[in-house]
Amino acid sequence: MTDEHNLRTIGAYREILGEKQGYIWGKQGIVSTPNIDRLARSGTTLSNFYVSSPSCTPSRASFMTGLYPWATGATFNHLALNSNATTFANILEDNGYINSYIGKWHLDGDIKPGFKKFTDWRKFGFQERDYMYNRGHWKLFEEVGKSMRVCCSWVQGQDMSNYWQKVKTNSDIYGTDFLVEKAKEVIEKRAEKKNKPFSLFLSIPDPHTPMYSREPYESMYDNLKLVKPKTMKVNSYELSAPDWLKYPPGRYYPRWPTEDYFRQVRKSFGMVKLIDDKIGELLDLINRKGMYNNTIIVFTSDHGNLMGEHASNLKGSPYKTSATVPFIIRYPNVIPPNRVIQAPAHSTDFAPTLLNLVGVKAKMKSFHGENLAKVISGKKKQNRWRYVYFRHYFHERYDGAWVALANVRYKLVLSIHSTKQWLYDLKHDPDELKNISITNKVESNKMKLILCCKMFNNHDPL
């Protein structure tokens, strides 16, 4: 799992999206991702995978539990996952699995960084968590005994130039490199005990802000020619932009300076490139250890990043590259290779689907999500007209609550800021610019009713 990842930065998704949607930064505005693409060719790609809430904590809570955030206690960032929550790792543990978690967790509340010794009573089924930390966006880590700590930190308000210089020049302790090396150690160890089933959850904190990486990735795209996304042009759109777009404060940039914007995109590309290279190393290691054909491999992210689309940055919006994330899954002889599933899927589907794929029985009534194992394995036809809903919960610090319902054709958005409804035709308006709720009241009202019924059935507060 990566953090805050725009799916348009991945070659396999650009191919699915096509020229107009896949190349929003221009023909040259791309980052090459041959290893993630290799994973996609050998597995199945879900092109409309929505997260329950496009923010770190609530999204991760749903991935772990198969539940909507309200049922986990983690409806907003820095809220703790309920101590009595059951994760997919708990169920795997009960069935003899050794489960390892490496990287960012963000489900232990406000504690920061929150290494193992501070949170060891909250295992949630992950027996091995020496290199887990709760939250924070430090770029450098170092080993201490059999655990980790933040390296070369800084004091807020002080000159950070020395710190960023260390980030650029330290490949052995840069976050992505450090965590991937720890993942390699787990794979090496598990390869020696092939009779013991295991799971490894690697959570890489990039390409989340701050937009810095190590060399050569830091400067790799400095001269890349870019254009601004079509939806970043504000003019009259600025006046008609939905109210919910302007929340949380500080993420709506109707007058984002061009060079600063391009700099951030280029630095993000560098982080993605490093991630792709490291994924290649992991795939090669799994293959060398003879585990490639009997291991389920999933690549995904906790939420997206608008990266300038709709004159906005980061997450928290119902637009495509905020609320949908890459989801690629590979399992030879079970999941067909080089296949794309367009039917909507959801982060609450992850836990029940994974458990079914490995043959572990779990009560489906325990999950809000669906078991998509038969769909992903090609044994059942995909439901292209499935409806999924996702939302941004109200929080007093941000006050930007909205809820959305989508199928393969339409997306409906409702907000606490207005009685107005927003309906987008995703086929004819993939940029999500034209609100057709007035001209298509039948579809709008039908989807509103379906949304209310789904929330009511899940006991999700309206």
Side-chain angles (χ1 to χ4, degrees):
M1 173 179 279
T2 57
D3 194 338
E4 201 168 83
H5 202 151
N6 185 304
L7 53 78
R8 300 191 211 272
T9 63
I10 297 172
Y13 277 86
R14 288 195 299 273
E15 184 176 340
I16 294 169
L17 291 167
E19 183 175 338
K20 289 184 178 180
Q21 292 298 307
Y23 295 81
I24 65 168
W25 297 289
K27 285 289 185 69
Q28 297 181 36
I30 62 171
V31 51
S32 174
T33 54
N35 295 298
I36 300 175
D37 299 346
R38 174 181 23 148
L39 188 64
R41 286 193 300 272
S42 62
T44 290
T45 302
L46 280 65
S47 61
N48 289 296
F49 191 91
Y50 289 88
V51 294
S52 62
S53 183
S55 192
C56 299
T57 297
S59 175
R60 290 166 182 264
S62 292
F63 269 104
M64 288 292 140
T65 64
L67 301 175
Y68 274 93
W70 74 267
T72 70
T75 55
F76 214 84
N77 268 357
H78 319 326
L79 297 180
L81 181 67
N82 288 337
S83 297
N84 61 352
T86 299
T87 70
F88 73 86
N90 286 127
I91 299 173
L92 288 177
E93 182 183 24
D94 290 343
N95 284 269
Y97 277 72
I98 297 295
N99 306 307
S100 303
Y101 195 105
I102 294 173
K104 181 182 171 184
W105 172 244
H106 214 160
L107 291 171
D108 279 332
D110 203 41
I111 187 171
K112 182 180 179 180
F115 294 119
K116 175 188 175 182
K117 64 180 180 179
F118 298 104
T119 62
D120 203 32
W121 60 281
R122 289 170 54 84
K123 289 184 171 66
F124 293 105
F126 292 101
Q127 303 100 318
E128 297 183 349
R129 48 198 300 281
D130 294 326
Y131 300 97
M132 172 198 284
Y133 69 98
N134 185 44
R135 73 181 190 94
H137 294 290
W138 297 280
K139 292 290 185 175
L140 301 176
F141 297 99
E142 60 185 357
E143 189 154 12
V144 182
K146 292 184 178 181
S147 188
M148 62 189 288
R149 70 181 179 189
V150 173
C151 174
C152 318
S153 191
W154 70 88
V155 178
Q156 191 170 0
Q158 291 187 358
D159 182 15
M160 294 172 59
S161 57
N162 289 335
Y163 177 80
W164 295 127
Q165 186 59 35
K166 291 177 181 178
V167 170
K168 293 179 182 179
T169 56
N170 283 275
S171 61
D172 55 336
I173 58 175
Y174 182 78
T176 298
D177 299 273
F178 180 86
L179 296 171
V180 168
E181 287 305 308
K182 297 306 166 189
K184 289 180 181 179
E185 292 176 10
V186 170
I187 294 169
E188 295 268 9
K189 182 168 58 175
R190 296 292 163 238
E192 296 174 0
K193 300 178 180 179
K194 294 183 179 180
N195 62 331
K196 187 74 173 178
F198 78 97
S199 77
L200 165 61
F201 199 108
L202 172 61
S203 178
I204 297 172
D206 279 351
H208 196 291
T209 54
M211 296 299 187
Y212 289 91
S213 185
R214 71 163 174 89
E215 294 292 2
Y217 303 95
E218 166 70 10
S219 58
M220 187 173 287
Y221 296 95
D222 280 358
N223 298 317
L224 190 68
K225 184 179 179 181
L226 300 171
V227 299
K228 287 186 176 181
K230 172 185 174 182
T231 62
M232 194 177 185
K233 299 176 181 178
V234 288
N235 47 60
S236 60
Y237 175 64
E238 182 183 354
L239 301 176
S240 61
D243 289 335
W244 40 261
L245 181 59
K246 301 174 184 179
Y247 296 90
R251 293 182 184 168
Y252 181 58
Y253 298 95
R255 294 288 178 263
W256 199 341
T258 299
E259 285 310 310
D260 177 63
Y261 169 66
F262 285 163
R263 184 194 72 80
Q264 292 210 34
V265 173
R266 290 171 181 136
K267 300 306 179 186
S268 177
F269 282 6
M271 287 191 281
V272 172
K273 184 62 177 175
L274 172 56
I275 290 169
D276 184 77
D277 284 351
K278 291 297 171 180
I279 287 175
E281 293 178 13
L282 289 171
L283 294 177
D284 291 344
L285 175 62
I286 292 170
N287 191 32
R288 288 198 305 274
K289 293 299 177 180
M291 305 162 70
Y292 203 53
N293 290 325
N294 64 345
T295 300
I296 298 173
I297 302 173
V298 177
F299 175 82
T300 190
S301 186
D302 60 352
H303 56 80
N305 182 350
L306 285 170
M307 290 179 65
E309 295 180 56
H310 297 275
S312 298
N313 197 27
L314 308 180
K315 56 207 172 197
S317 159
Y319 289 124
K320 182 175 181 65
T321 51
S322 168
T324 63
V325 294
F327 191 95
I328 301 168
I329 183 167
R330 180 188 189 275
Y331 192 14
N333 303 315
V334 177
I335 295 175
N338 203 27
R339 181 168 174 251
V340 176
I341 293 178
Q342 294 181 326
H346 196 270
S347 53
T348 57
D349 301 333
F350 173 74
T353 300
L354 177 67
L355 292 170
N356 188 274
L357 284 171
V358 299
V360 171
K361 292 183 179 180
K363 294 180 180 179
M364 282 307 299
K365 289 184 179 180
S366 303
F367 305 106
H368 290 146
E370 294 185 11
N371 169 18
L372 299 180
K374 288 186 178 180
V375 174
I376 290 175
S377 61
K379 296 178 181 178
K380 183 179 178 180
K381 187 177 181 180
Q382 58 177 299
N383 179 11
R384 290 170 52 86
W385 292 99
R386 179 191 180 191
Y387 290 93
V388 297
Y389 81 88
F390 46 103
R391 65 183 301 183
H392 195 61
Y393 291 83
F394 174 81
H395 192 282
E396 59 187 11
R397 287 167 53 191
Y398 297 105
D399 189 27
W402 51 260
V403 61
L405 179 77
N407 60 24
V408 75
R409 175 68 183 272
Y410 295 104
K411 180 187 292 181
L412 175 74
V413 184
L414 307 178
S415 167
I416 65 169
H417 300 288
S418 173
T419 57
K420 187 177 179 180
Q421 300 177 183
W422 286 268
L423 180 68
Y424 299 108
D425 185 333
L426 303 178
K427 179 179 180 181
H428 296 113
D429 177 30
D431 291 316
E432 300 175 75
L433 289 172
K434 301 173 183 177
N435 181 7
I436 61 169
S437 63
I438 301 299
T439 57
N440 197 340
K441 288 184 179 181
V442 172
E443 188 67 35
S444 183
N445 290 332
K446 180 185 78 172
M447 291 185 69
K448 183 178 180 180
L449 178 61
I450 293 172
L451 172 59
C452 291
C453 289
K454 281 183 168 290
M455 293 178 68
F456 178 82
N457 290 337
N458 286 333
H459 308 287
D460 203 344
L462 295 172

